Every structure is written in structure tokens, then in C-alpha cells.
Amino acid sequence: MCRTKYVVLRTMLGNREICWELWDGKAVVEMTSKEIKSALLKNEPVYGLEIGADGELTLGSDFFTRNIMEHRHVDNFKPMFEDDNKPSTYYIVLGKTEDGQYEMISTRFRRMTFSEEHLKAVFSLGAVSAGMKMEDGKIVIPEIRREDPIEQLKKEFREEEAKKKGAGKEVKKQ
């Protein structure tokens, strides 16, 4: 079963990429660039990266990814793309809870929830790297496909079968 995965950071050894670390909702998963490309080509949900026109991994526009943290060596984190703002920790918005809080994960894999005001403040500091954007002063989060595609197909198949059985009973009654 494939779970929805969120790219949290990239692990480097000097200038050489070792792997990407992703959060699947329950645990940290490590994947190589090749594995992520393969998953994306199979239409598996991997948020934060996409395959660019050149066939290489780029920041995922569908998940509003602006930057990704790199783990260079012991306790050394830096943004993949340098800018004026250099936070030591990025936050990724995973979704919204039923009570209006925003689910977050940090680049150090700390899970938390933020209120709307707190999230806007952290975003204004440049510490939110993915999972949201601001439009007209409002927080916009992307549509996340959380269900396993195979399970979704099975569900649709069962619904179609139920409709067929229901239609067959109506014909017999007449």
C-alpha cells in the first residue's frame, strides 16, 4: 500500500546527494531521486517534488514548494536555494484539522499544529517551505490526495457493482 508522502529534506554528503527524507504520515521514509521519479511516474502521491521538463526533480508547484532544507552533516541544515532569509528549520503544512488548526511537520520531524495567526506569522518570517501560500491575506492549502490509488479503484469498482446489482433488481420487479 502506498501512502501519501511529503518531502521534508534532502540528505547530502558534501555536494553529493545521498537521499531524500519523506514523511508518510506515520514514519520517516528515505528514498533516492530515482525512487521518487519512479513513484511520480506511477502517479503515486509524493508532495514537494515533481519531474521537470528536463526529466530531473524540481520543486513541486502543486504543493506550493518554495524551498527544501538540506542536511549537510551533523546538525548542519541549510536551505537548498539560498536567499536573504536563512531559517535553521522549515515547516511544511500537511493539512487542516477538523478544529481549524493546521497540521505541520518541521525539517527535524517535529509534528505540531498551528493556529491560523501563528501560521501566518511563521510564513511571514519565511520559515514555511511548502504546503501553503497566501492569497489576499488568506491561507490557501493544496488539495491532497490521501487515499491509496489502488484502494480508490477498488472502492469505485465496488460502487459500480452495487449499482449494477441495484439496477438488476429493478428490472426483475417490472
Side-chain angles (χ1 to χ4, degrees), residues 102 116-117 119-121 123 132-140:
Y102 290 88
E116 184 172 341
E117 295 79 27
L119 181 56
K120 285 180 180 179
F123 182 82
M132 70 159 283
K133 66 180 180 178
M134 295 290 292
E135 285 184 356
D136 301 323
K138 295 188 183 212
I139 295 173
V140 177

Side-chain angles (χ1 to χ4, degrees), residues 14-41:
N15 288 330
R16 194 178 102 213
E17 178 184 302
I18 301 298
C19 69
W20 297 85
E21 294 184 39
L22 298 89
W23 176 251
D24 75 354
K26 297 206 184 264
V28 177
V29 179
E30 293 180 342
M31 295 177 77
T32 64
S33 290
K34 185 177 178 180
E35 291 171 328
I36 291 173
K37 285 180 194 177
S38 176
L40 289 169
L41 291 171

Side-chain angles (χ1 to χ4, degrees), residues 88-104:
S88 61
T89 301
Y90 274 140
Y91 297 95
I92 296 109
V93 179
L94 304 177
K96 194 170 182 178
T97 64
E98 293 175 6
D99 63 345
Q101 298 283 312
Y102 290 88
E103 293 179 76
M104 311 285 288

Side-chain angles (χ1 to χ4, degrees), residues 146-163:
R146 293 184 189 264
E147 194 166 357
D148 180 11
I150 295 171
E151 291 299 319
Q152 179 66 26
L153 289 172
K154 287 179 182 178
K155 181 180 173 183
E156 289 172 6
F157 179 75
R158 286 190 295 265
E159 288 172 358
E160 282 183 33
E161 291 297 313
K163 286 180 185 177

Side-chain angles (χ1 to χ4, degrees), residues 55-66:
E56 296 300 317
L57 292 175
T58 61
L59 298 180
S61 59
D62 61 336
F63 194 59
F64 311 135
T65 307
R66 288 174 292 289

